[in-house]
Amino acid sequence: MRAFLIVGNKAVTKPFNLNDLAGSAGRMDIICRCIAQSLFVSHGIRRDVEVYVLLLGSPDPPKALKIVGSEVRYMAPDERNVGGIIRKALSLDVDKDWRISSPGVYVARKNLEELLEELSRVYEIVYLREDGVDIRDVACDLKNPLFVLGDHIGLKEEDERLVLKYAKMVVSVSKLSLQADQCIVIVHYELDRC
Ligand SMILES: C[S@@+](CC[C@H](N)C(=O)[O-])C[C@H]1O[C@@H](n2cnc3c(N)ncnc32)[C@H](O)[C@@H]1O
């Protein structure tokens, strides 16, 4: 298995306008691209991938999404389609337990620490950051990795401290600072070569 956790610092926590993903939805366009790049190949879905998203924007944070590749149905890779699926999940009432919203898509009230605590029982947590070790040196040794990424803002200091507490390592995919969805494509590319 492979997994990704994307932290959406401004991504809103209520149903949003699909025509304004990059504006009033709090850069939900980044989240949609990350989900699509995590899950989709040409004409198919990676069934061995899970995607987690932490939504920290107004008006009701934190909320977490879980998207399970092996269960997903009726999802297309375009931002509007993924956005619609997130929007539906955000219309549900949430508590600490995962609640299904559509096939393979779950929502819950979880903060970063709760998510990391849960996920570190299943996955080896890897923090993606520009100054980490080169992914080429470690990719093929990773067992069940979950890669943590920030959005356009990155991770806030206190969130980064938490991630580093759980992370087995910090890994870099390029000498350049890339967009989060670009990092996901590179991670898949490197792991697919193993
Ligand atoms: C657009 S970047 C964030 C830029 C933000 N201004 C910052 O300084 O953190 C989004 C996320 O992609 C990941 N990232 C970007 N470039 C990377 C690289 N070269 N190697 C590993 N991760 C990277 C990091 O997790 C980062 O939080």
Side-chain angles (χ1 to χ4, degrees):
M1 289 293 291
R2 255 174 234 181
F4 297 91
L5 164 59
I6 303 106
V7 177
N9 290 289
K10 302 282 180 203
V12 295
T13 39
K14 64 160 192 224
F16 48 86
N17 180 355
L18 287 173
N19 294 324
D20 195 22
L21 293 174
S24 56
R27 294 311 311 267
M28 198 64 80
D29 60 319
I30 297 174
I31 305 299
C32 295
R33 283 198 294 278
C34 285
I35 292 172
Q37 297 300 357
S38 301
L39 285 177
F40 285 93
V41 290
S42 179
H43 300 297
I45 287 186
R46 292 179 183 266
R47 298 290 173 193
D48 62 343
V49 168
E50 290 185 353
V51 190
Y52 295 83
V53 183
L54 182 63
L55 305 164
L56 296 175
S58 64
D60 190 23
K63 285 187 183 177
L65 301 172
K66 169 167 75 162
I67 301 141
V68 180
S70 61
E71 299 174 15
V72 164
R73 304 279 176 272
Y74 324 119
M75 191 185 283
D78 61 281
E79 284 173 34
R80 199 180 168 84
N81 183 276
V82 178
I85 287 166
I86 298 174
R87 188 176 190 273
K88 181 173 177 223
L90 293 179
S91 69
L92 302 182
D93 291 332
V94 285
D95 63 22
K96 293 282 176 199
D97 297 320
W98 293 111
R99 176 174 179 194
I100 192 159
S101 161
S102 52
V105 179
Y106 300 80
V107 60
R109 170 92 62 210
K110 291 182 195 282
N111 62 28
L112 182 60
E113 180 147 36
E114 289 161 337
L115 263 181
L116 290 168
E117 188 62 43
E118 175 178 328
L119 296 173
S120 61
R121 284 187 226 123
V122 181
Y123 290 105
E124 185 173 76
I125 308 290
V126 176
Y127 180 30
L128 283 178
R129 200 174 63 188
E130 291 83 334
D131 62 352
V133 299
D134 189 333
I135 191 161
R136 290 231 159 153
D137 295 336
V138 295
C140 299
D141 298 324
L142 296 172
K143 305 265 177 298
N144 259 7
L146 176 137
F147 299 90
V148 182
L149 305 98
D151 58 3
H152 60 301
I153 295 170
L155 289 192
K156 283 181 274 175
E157 236 176 271
E158 68 264 32
D159 289 345
E160 182 165 80
R161 264 199 300 277
L162 253 184
V163 171
L164 289 171
K165 185 174 138 195
Y166 286 89
K168 289 253 167 64
M169 62 181 93
V170 182
V171 168
S172 166
V173 296
S174 168
K175 290 194 170 72
L176 303 177
S177 183
L178 302 176
Q179 295 181 10
D181 60 312
Q182 296 172 329
C183 297
I184 291 170
V185 173
I186 294 175
V187 166
H188 275 318
Y189 173 73
E190 292 296 336
L191 269 61
D192 288 347
R193 288 165 55 101
C194 294

